Amino acid sequence: MRITNREFDFVIEADENTSVSIVCENPKIFYEMIEDSIKLIKSNESNWVISEKDGSRIDSKQIDVIVSPFCFDINSKRLLGNVQKEIETCIYENFIEEIDYINNAFIRILEDISLRLSYEIDYNIECDVKDLIKIYDLKLSYESSSLLGKLSIYIKLLAMSLNVKLLFLVDIKRYLTAHEILILYKEARYWKIQLVIMESRFIDKLENEKVIIIDMDRCIIEL
């Protein structure tokens, strides 16, 4: 994968065994770089260019960002919506007769109820599978109290459900040990997701990690 930033004119060539850390010592630059990564995901218009080694650009839908370990949601609308689509497809391919039976049984109940009421009722007899899924309030189930565990689950879901290829993580080394970061890198490599950690200060260069430092004077140092 090729990670390019046009504003600072650097290109990072990352293979499947390489993780990337970008350190911005200037607070203003750090903020702008995070903001730019969010723009990339929302509109594909930013100074970031993420591409395969053959030059083909990776779509913004295949990129995600976690700006804080306190605000990412495993049951986010984006993830949950895609999982629900998979469930709908599975139902239509394997359980449509059972769904028709459930729908017809409930319609018979409503018809019976209408005879017992002193007023008339109306209802939609064409109940969609999507409507049933909403009624049961389906969510992704996970068991983990640790940040590393939640991030590992999130990475797995990004890969399996959304085919995400790159994940920006902001200042995550403040919250995880070096050993935990290496475990996270290993997990991301397994699911073929490129991690890019954006840091406000240099902490350490880890195994198989490419480090780009943008100092206070906007000079670039590669480690």
Side-chain angles (χ1 to χ4, degrees):
M1 183 179 292
R2 183 174 293 120
I3 302 165
T4 305
N5 188 285
R6 291 177 290 201
E7 181 179 356
F8 293 96
D9 196 28
F10 65 72
V11 178
I12 302 172
E13 300 284 354
D15 58 36
E16 60 182 14
N17 295 316
T18 304
S19 299
V20 177
S21 174
I22 301 172
V23 181
C24 301
E25 295 181 343
N26 186 311
K28 182 175 182 294
I29 294 173
F30 184 56
Y31 171 81
E32 290 173 351
M33 191 164 279
I34 296 168
E35 185 179 44
D36 211 26
S37 67
I38 296 171
K39 286 180 182 178
L40 171 65
I41 293 164
K42 289 185 175 180
S43 65
N44 226 358
E45 295 180 2
S46 80
N47 290 306
W48 292 107
V49 178
I50 313 299
S51 58
E52 303 287 6
K53 290 194 174 182
D54 63 4
S56 58
R57 192 159 178 173
I58 293 174
D59 191 89
S60 61
K61 292 178 181 178
Q62 295 177 294
I63 302 168
D64 198 16
V65 58
I66 296 177
V67 297
S68 167
F70 303 104
C71 67
F72 77 98
D73 185 8
I74 288 176
N75 278 295
S76 67
K77 186 177 179 180
R78 183 186 180 198
L79 263 176
L80 201 55
N82 213 63
V83 169
Q84 287 178 351
K85 286 180 183 178
E86 291 182 34
I87 293 171
E88 285 178 49
T89 301
C90 185
I91 289 173
Y92 280 121
E93 290 177 352
N94 302 282
F95 302 102
I96 196 64
E97 290 183 7
E98 288 84 348
I99 292 297
D100 287 340
Y101 175 82
I102 292 169
N103 194 34
N104 291 331
F106 194 69
I107 289 171
R108 286 195 297 271
I109 291 171
L110 288 174
E111 289 173 345
D112 190 28
I113 288 172
S114 67
L115 298 173
R116 300 165 187 251
L117 298 174
S118 57
Y119 46 84
E120 293 186 2
I121 60 172
D122 195 11
Y123 43 84
N124 178 20
I125 63 172
E126 298 296 332
C127 185
D128 192 279
V129 169
K130 188 183 296 183
D131 297 325
L132 287 174
I133 291 174
K134 287 180 180 178
I135 289 171
Y136 287 101
D137 193 25
L138 292 177
K139 286 184 170 60
L140 291 161
S141 178
Y142 64 95
E143 294 182 7
S144 178
S145 58
S146 71
L147 175 57
L148 175 61
K150 288 176 68 177
L151 285 170
S152 297
I153 293 166
Y154 191 71
I155 285 171
K156 174 183 176 180
L157 291 170
L158 288 179
M160 293 182 67
S161 181
L162 298 175
N163 193 30
V164 165
K165 294 188 175 181
L166 183 140
L167 174 62
F168 288 103
L169 288 168
V170 178
D171 254 358
I172 201 66
K173 287 185 179 180
R174 287 178 178 267
Y175 305 99
L176 297 177
T177 66
H179 178 65
E180 288 174 324
I181 291 290
L182 289 174
I183 293 173
L184 196 66
Y185 282 162
K186 184 178 179 180
E187 188 74 17
R189 284 196 294 271
Y190 179 82
W191 293 107
K192 300 187 185 307
I193 290 182
Q194 177 65 57
L195 290 188
V196 177
I197 293 180
M198 292 188 286
E199 301 177 78
S200 57
R201 59 177 182 174
F202 177 69
I203 296 176
D204 193 11
K205 184 178 186 296
L206 301 179
E207 182 182 353
N208 296 325
E209 188 179 59
K210 286 190 176 182
V211 178
I212 299 286
I213 299 175
I214 304 171
D215 69 13
M216 293 295 290
D217 299 318
R218 300 175 69 94
C219 295
I220 295 176
I221 305 162
E222 294 188 32
L223 300 179

